[in-house]
Amino acid sequence: MTDPFNFDDEASRALEALYLSSMSSIRRQKVRTLLDLHPGDTVLDVGTGPGYLADEMAAQVGPAGRVDAIDRSPQMLALAQRRCAGRPQVVLHEADVLKMPFPDAAFDAAASVQVYEFVAEMPAALRELRRVLRPGGRAVIVDTDWASLVWEAKDRVRAERIFSAWDEHLADPYLPRRLAPLLKECGFDVLAVEPYTVASLSPEPVPAGLAKMIADFAPGRRGVTAEDTAAWLADLAALHACGNYFFSLTAFLFLARRTAED
Ligand SMILES: C[S@@+](CC[C@H](N)C(=O)[O-])C[C@H]1O[C@@H](n2cnc3c(N)ncnc32)[C@H](O)[C@@H]1O
Protein backbone atom coordinates (compact mmCIF):
# COMPACT_ATOMS: atom_id res chain seq x y z
CA MET A 1 0.00 0.00 0.00
CA THR A 2 1.76 3.23 -1.12
CA ASP A 3 0.89 6.65 0.21
CA PRO A 4 1.03 9.55 -2.27
CA PHE A 5 0.14 11.77 0.67
CA ASN A 6 3.84 11.79 1.61
CA PHE A 7 5.11 12.62 -1.87
CA ASP A 8 8.20 10.44 -1.78
CA ASP A 9 10.46 10.04 -4.85
CA GLU A 10 8.16 7.77 -6.87
CA ALA A 11 4.93 9.65 -6.09
CA SER A 12 6.60 12.99 -6.82
CA ARG A 13 7.83 11.86 -10.23
CA ALA A 14 4.42 10.36 -11.10
CA LEU A 15 2.77 13.68 -10.28
CA GLU A 16 5.38 15.63 -12.23
CA ALA A 17 4.55 13.56 -15.32
CA LEU A 18 0.81 14.08 -14.81
CA TYR A 19 1.22 17.86 -14.50
CA LEU A 20 3.07 18.01 -17.83
CA SER A 21 -0.20 17.32 -19.64
CA SER A 22 -1.92 20.10 -21.57
CA MET A 23 -4.95 19.72 -19.27
CA SER A 24 -2.84 20.67 -16.27
CA SER A 25 -1.11 23.49 -18.11
CA ILE A 26 -4.48 24.97 -19.16
CA ARG A 27 -5.52 24.91 -15.50
CA ARG A 28 -2.33 26.75 -14.50
CA GLN A 29 -3.04 29.32 -17.19
CA LYS A 30 -6.49 29.89 -15.66
CA VAL A 31 -4.88 30.34 -12.24
CA ARG A 32 -2.49 32.96 -13.66
CA THR A 33 -5.30 34.79 -15.47
CA LEU A 34 -7.29 35.04 -12.22
CA LEU A 35 -4.22 36.08 -10.24
CA ASP A 36 -3.43 38.93 -12.69
CA LEU A 37 0.28 39.24 -11.85
CA HIS A 38 2.39 42.20 -12.95
CA PRO A 39 6.15 42.70 -13.35
CA GLY A 40 7.67 43.42 -9.96
CA ASP A 41 4.96 41.62 -7.93
CA THR A 42 5.91 39.44 -4.97
CA VAL A 43 4.03 36.15 -5.12
CA LEU A 44 3.82 33.00 -3.01
CA ASP A 45 3.23 29.47 -4.32
CA VAL A 46 1.84 27.41 -1.44
CA GLY A 47 2.65 23.70 -1.95
CA THR A 48 4.59 24.20 -5.17
CA GLY A 49 5.12 20.48 -5.89
CA PRO A 50 7.25 20.08 -9.02
CA GLY A 51 7.33 23.87 -9.48
CA TYR A 52 5.56 24.35 -12.82
CA LEU A 53 3.41 27.22 -11.56
CA ALA A 54 6.32 28.89 -9.70
CA ASP A 55 8.33 28.81 -12.93
CA GLU A 56 5.48 30.30 -14.97
CA MET A 57 4.71 32.98 -12.38
CA ALA A 58 8.41 33.92 -12.28
CA ALA A 59 8.25 34.68 -16.01
CA GLN A 60 5.28 36.99 -15.34
CA VAL A 61 6.74 38.95 -12.40
CA GLY A 62 10.11 39.18 -14.17
CA PRO A 63 13.53 39.82 -12.63
CA ALA A 64 12.17 42.78 -10.61
CA GLY A 65 9.63 40.52 -8.92
CA ARG A 66 9.98 37.52 -6.67
CA VAL A 67 8.34 34.11 -6.27
CA ASP A 68 8.67 32.34 -2.93
CA ALA A 69 7.49 28.74 -3.09
CA ILE A 70 6.98 26.40 -0.16
CA ASP A 71 6.46 22.66 0.10
CA ARG A 72 6.94 20.19 2.92
CA SER A 73 8.27 17.45 0.62
CA PRO A 74 12.05 17.61 -0.03
CA GLN A 75 11.57 15.34 -3.05
CA MET A 76 9.08 17.77 -4.59
CA LEU A 77 11.37 20.70 -3.82
CA ALA A 78 14.23 18.94 -5.62
CA LEU A 79 12.06 18.71 -8.76
CA ALA A 80 11.04 22.37 -8.38
CA GLN A 81 14.69 23.37 -7.89
CA ARG A 82 15.62 21.74 -11.18
CA ARG A 83 12.66 23.31 -12.97
CA CYS A 84 13.32 26.87 -11.71
CA ALA A 85 17.13 26.73 -11.89
CA GLY A 86 17.26 29.50 -14.51
CA ARG A 87 15.06 31.87 -12.46
CA PRO A 88 16.99 33.67 -9.72
CA GLN A 89 13.74 35.37 -8.63
CA VAL A 90 12.37 31.99 -7.42
CA VAL A 91 13.25 31.06 -3.84
CA LEU A 92 12.21 27.64 -2.51
CA HIS A 93 11.55 26.84 1.14
CA GLU A 94 10.88 23.55 2.92
CA ALA A 95 7.94 24.53 5.13
CA ASP A 96 4.42 23.62 6.17
CA VAL A 97 1.35 25.64 5.13
CA LEU A 98 0.62 26.14 8.83
CA LYS A 99 3.90 27.94 9.58
CA MET A 100 5.46 29.79 6.68
CA PRO A 101 8.86 31.46 7.02
CA PHE A 102 7.75 34.95 5.93
CA PRO A 103 6.99 38.23 7.68
CA ASP A 104 3.46 39.64 7.84
CA ALA A 105 2.08 41.23 4.64
CA ALA A 106 5.06 40.06 2.55
CA PHE A 107 3.17 39.20 -0.67
CA ASP A 108 1.02 40.93 -3.28
CA ALA A 109 -0.51 37.60 -4.31
CA ALA A 110 -0.54 33.89 -3.57
CA ALA A 111 -1.58 30.69 -5.34
CA SER A 112 -2.22 27.23 -3.99
CA VAL A 113 -3.17 24.45 -6.38
CA GLN A 114 -4.35 21.07 -5.07
CA VAL A 115 -2.76 21.51 -1.66
CA TYR A 116 -5.35 22.55 0.94
CA GLU A 117 -7.37 19.39 0.26
CA PHE A 118 -4.46 17.60 2.02
CA VAL A 119 -4.63 19.86 5.07
CA ALA A 120 -6.81 18.97 8.07
CA GLU A 121 -6.32 22.25 9.96
CA MET A 122 -7.95 24.47 7.37
CA PRO A 123 -8.90 27.56 9.36
CA ALA A 124 -5.32 27.73 10.72
CA ALA A 125 -3.87 27.30 7.21
CA LEU A 126 -6.01 30.09 5.75
CA ARG A 127 -5.19 32.43 8.65
CA GLU A 128 -1.50 31.79 7.97
CA LEU A 129 -2.06 32.59 4.28
CA ARG A 130 -3.85 35.79 5.25
CA ARG A 131 -1.02 36.79 7.60
CA VAL A 132 1.59 36.75 4.82
CA LEU A 133 -0.58 38.57 2.24
CA ARG A 134 -0.71 42.36 2.24
CA PRO A 135 -4.16 43.92 2.81
CA GLY A 136 -5.95 43.70 -0.54
CA GLY A 137 -3.59 40.93 -1.67
CA ARG A 138 -5.12 38.30 -3.99
CA ALA A 139 -5.16 34.54 -3.53
CA VAL A 140 -6.18 31.86 -6.00
CA ILE A 141 -6.93 28.50 -4.43
CA VAL A 142 -7.69 25.39 -6.49
CA ASP A 143 -9.00 22.10 -5.17
CA THR A 144 -10.92 19.16 -6.61
CA ASP A 145 -14.31 18.02 -5.38
CA TRP A 146 -13.97 14.26 -5.80
CA ALA A 147 -17.76 13.82 -5.79
CA SER A 148 -17.49 15.23 -9.34
CA LEU A 149 -15.62 12.12 -10.51
CA VAL A 150 -17.49 10.32 -13.30
CA TRP A 151 -15.45 7.37 -14.56
CA GLU A 152 -17.38 4.75 -16.44
CA ALA A 153 -16.83 1.10 -15.48
CA LYS A 154 -18.78 -2.03 -16.32
CA ASP A 155 -18.77 -2.86 -12.60
CA ARG A 156 -19.79 0.53 -11.17
CA VAL A 157 -20.27 -0.79 -7.64
CA ARG A 158 -16.66 -2.00 -7.49
CA ALA A 159 -15.46 1.27 -9.01
CA GLU A 160 -17.33 3.31 -6.37
CA ARG A 161 -15.76 1.21 -3.58
CA ILE A 162 -12.31 1.91 -5.02
CA PHE A 163 -13.06 5.64 -5.31
CA SER A 164 -14.20 5.77 -1.69
CA ALA A 165 -10.86 4.17 -0.66
CA TRP A 166 -9.06 6.79 -2.79
CA ASP A 167 -10.91 9.53 -0.87
CA GLU A 168 -8.67 8.60 2.07
CA HIS A 169 -5.63 10.15 0.36
CA LEU A 170 -6.99 13.57 1.29
CA ALA A 171 -7.92 15.32 4.51
CA ASP A 172 -11.07 16.58 2.75
CA PRO A 173 -11.94 15.19 -0.71
CA TYR A 174 -14.90 17.61 -0.87
CA LEU A 175 -13.13 20.81 0.26
CA PRO A 176 -14.40 23.18 -2.49
CA ARG A 177 -18.00 23.16 -1.27
CA ARG A 178 -16.95 24.57 2.12
CA LEU A 179 -14.07 26.76 0.97
CA ALA A 180 -16.02 30.02 0.47
CA PRO A 181 -17.38 30.08 4.05
CA LEU A 182 -13.94 29.10 5.36
CA LEU A 183 -12.27 31.92 3.45
CA LYS A 184 -14.81 34.46 4.73
CA GLU A 185 -14.38 33.22 8.30
CA CYS A 186 -10.60 33.65 7.96
CA GLY A 187 -10.59 37.25 6.71
CA PHE A 188 -10.96 37.03 2.92
CA ASP A 189 -13.52 38.40 0.50
CA VAL A 190 -14.44 35.73 -2.04
CA LEU A 191 -14.54 37.37 -5.48
CA ALA A 192 -15.16 34.47 -7.85
CA VAL A 193 -15.37 30.73 -8.27
CA GLU A 194 -14.82 28.90 -11.55
CA PRO A 195 -15.03 25.20 -12.37
CA TYR A 196 -12.33 23.51 -14.39
CA THR A 197 -13.40 20.16 -15.76
CA VAL A 198 -11.08 17.63 -17.32
CA ALA A 199 -13.11 15.29 -19.53
CA SER A 200 -11.61 12.57 -21.66
CA LEU A 201 -12.78 9.74 -23.92
CA SER A 202 -9.42 8.04 -23.71
CA PRO A 203 -7.08 7.05 -20.86
CA GLU A 204 -4.22 9.25 -22.08
CA PRO A 205 -2.80 11.40 -20.71
CA VAL A 206 -4.53 12.18 -17.39
CA PRO A 207 -6.87 9.28 -16.48
CA ALA A 208 -4.21 6.58 -17.01
CA GLY A 209 -1.76 8.23 -14.59
CA LEU A 210 -4.51 8.78 -12.04
CA ALA A 211 -5.74 5.18 -12.40
CA LYS A 212 -2.27 3.91 -11.55
CA MET A 213 -2.08 6.12 -8.46
CA ILE A 214 -5.51 4.93 -7.31
CA ALA A 215 -4.66 1.26 -7.98
CA ASP A 216 -1.46 1.64 -5.93
CA PHE A 217 -3.21 3.42 -3.06
CA ALA A 218 -6.59 1.76 -2.60
CA PRO A 219 -5.77 -1.87 -1.67
CA GLY A 220 -6.07 -2.41 2.09
CA ARG A 221 -8.54 0.46 2.56
CA ARG A 222 -12.32 0.17 2.93
CA GLY A 223 -12.20 -3.52 2.06
CA VAL A 224 -10.59 -2.98 -1.37
CA THR A 225 -8.13 -5.69 -2.42
CA ALA A 226 -5.34 -5.75 -5.00
CA GLU A 227 -7.57 -8.13 -7.02
CA ASP A 228 -10.32 -5.47 -7.00
CA THR A 229 -8.02 -2.78 -8.39
CA ALA A 230 -6.53 -5.17 -10.98
CA ALA A 231 -10.06 -6.08 -12.12
CA TRP A 232 -11.02 -2.38 -12.23
CA LEU A 233 -7.97 -1.56 -14.42
CA ALA A 234 -8.93 -4.45 -16.73
CA ASP A 235 -12.51 -3.12 -16.81
CA LEU A 236 -11.20 0.33 -17.90
CA ALA A 237 -8.96 -1.26 -20.54
CA ALA A 238 -11.93 -3.23 -21.93
CA LEU A 239 -14.03 -0.07 -22.17
CA HIS A 240 -11.17 1.71 -23.96
CA ALA A 241 -10.75 -1.23 -26.37
CA CYS A 242 -14.37 -0.95 -27.49
CA GLY A 243 -14.32 2.88 -27.66
CA ASN A 244 -16.56 3.44 -24.62
CA TYR A 245 -14.10 5.14 -22.26
CA PHE A 246 -15.43 8.10 -20.27
CA PHE A 247 -13.69 10.17 -17.57
CA SER A 248 -14.58 13.53 -16.06
CA LEU A 249 -13.37 15.40 -12.95
CA THR A 250 -13.90 18.99 -11.81
CA ALA A 251 -11.61 21.25 -9.82
CA PHE A 252 -12.77 24.66 -8.58
CA LEU A 253 -10.71 27.85 -8.74
CA PHE A 254 -11.45 30.42 -6.02
CA LEU A 255 -10.30 34.03 -6.26
CA ALA A 256 -10.16 35.69 -2.84
CA ARG A 257 -8.82 38.97 -1.51
CA ARG A 258 -7.40 39.64 1.92
CA THR A 259 -9.64 42.08 3.75
CA ALA A 260 -8.00 45.28 4.97
CA GLU A 261 -9.15 45.18 8.58
CA ASP A 262 -7.69 42.82 11.21
C1 LIG B 1 -1.00 17.45 -5.52
S1 LIG B 1 0.50 18.28 -5.21
C2 LIG B 1 0.24 19.84 -6.00
C3 LIG B 1 1.54 20.51 -6.41
C4 LIG B 1 1.43 21.85 -7.13
N1 LIG B 1 0.71 22.84 -6.38
C5 LIG B 1 0.83 21.70 -8.49
O1 LIG B 1 -0.38 21.89 -8.66
O2 LIG B 1 1.56 21.34 -9.42
C6 LIG B 1 0.32 18.69 -3.49
C7 LIG B 1 1.58 19.31 -2.90
O3 LIG B 1 1.23 19.86 -1.63
C8 LIG B 1 2.29 19.58 -0.73
N2 LIG B 1 1.72 19.63 0.63
C9 LIG B 1 0.70 18.88 1.14
N3 LIG B 1 0.45 19.22 2.41
C10 LIG B 1 1.32 20.22 2.71
C11 LIG B 1 1.57 20.98 3.90
N4 LIG B 1 0.86 20.78 5.02
N5 LIG B 1 2.53 21.92 3.88
C12 LIG B 1 3.27 22.12 2.74
N6 LIG B 1 3.10 21.41 1.60
C13 LIG B 1 2.14 20.48 1.58
C14 LIG B 1 2.78 18.21 -1.14
O4 LIG B 1 4.07 17.94 -0.67
C15 LIG B 1 2.70 18.32 -2.66
O5 LIG B 1 3.88 18.80 -3.22
Side-chain angles (χ1 to χ4, degrees):
M1 179 159 93
T2 58
D3 187 356
F5 198 83
N6 287 324
F7 294 104
D8 59 8
D9 268 335
E10 193 191 334
S12 298
R13 280 197 306 274
L15 210 69
E16 184 182 43
L18 203 60
Y19 285 165
L20 249 188
S21 68
S22 64
M23 291 170 185
S24 294
S25 94
I26 292 167
R27 189 177 64 186
R28 286 195 298 278
Q29 195 177 336
K30 284 179 170 292
V31 170
R32 290 188 287 104
T33 301
L34 275 178
L35 212 47
D36 190 26
L37 296 174
H38 297 283
D41 277 353
T42 53
V43 56
L44 168 65
D45 186 7
V46 178
T48 191
Y52 290 106
L53 183 63
D55 183 45
E56 293 169 7
M57 294 194 300
Q60 281 185 290
V61 302
R66 180 173 161 126
V67 179
D68 285 281
I70 71 131
D71 204 287
R72 70 174 179 188
S73 157
Q75 291 88 348
M76 280 296 198
L77 287 169
L79 297 176
Q81 183 70 56
R82 209 176 316 147
R83 178 143 298 104
C84 301
R87 308 258 194 216
Q89 68 271 46
V90 177
V91 183
L92 302 170
H93 311 259
E94 187 177 332
D96 195 278
V97 297
L98 295 174
K99 196 172 186 321
M100 297 194 278
F102 310 114
D104 294 355
F107 297 101
D108 297 310
S112 187
V113 180
Q114 305 271 134
V115 178
Y116 286 126
E117 58 197 26
F118 290 92
V119 176
E121 308 87 344
M122 267 312 280
L126 291 179
R127 287 201 185 95
E128 178 65 351
L129 178 65
R130 184 181 191 277
R131 182 186 70 75
V132 300
L133 273 175
R134 67 165 169 76
R138 306 174 303 287
V140 173
I141 297 177
V142 182
D143 285 288
T144 294
D145 190 317
W146 285 87
S148 68
L149 178 62
V150 182
W151 204 339
E152 178 59 328
K154 287 185 189 151
D155 188 337
R156 291 181 182 162
V157 173
R158 179 178 56 212
E160 288 304 327
R161 273 200 303 119
I162 292 171
F163 300 156
S164 85
W166 173 244
D167 276 355
E168 288 187 10
H169 87 289
L170 295 171
D172 185 353
Y174 315 110
L175 176 61
R177 61 187 75 178
R178 66 185 184 100
L179 197 50
L182 271 173
L183 281 162
K184 286 184 249 173
E185 174 192 325
C186 295
F188 290 89
D189 293 321
V190 180
L191 306 181
V193 61
E194 275 184 22
Y196 179 60
T197 299
V198 169
S200 179
L201 300 176
S202 111
E204 296 300 336
V206 170
L210 183 59
K212 184 179 178 324
M213 284 187 201
I214 294 175
D216 286 347
F217 180 82
R221 301 170 202 268
R222 306 214 186 167
V224 172
T225 63
E227 290 70 37
D228 288 330
T229 51
W232 172 61
L233 291 175
D235 189 339
L236 292 180
L239 283 172
H240 178 45
C242 64
N244 291 341
Y245 200 90
F246 184 89
F247 169 92
S248 174
L249 183 65
T250 300
F252 294 88
L253 293 77
F254 287 80
L255 174 63
R257 185 174 51 205
R258 189 201 140 152
T259 55
E261 66 281 358
D262 277 324

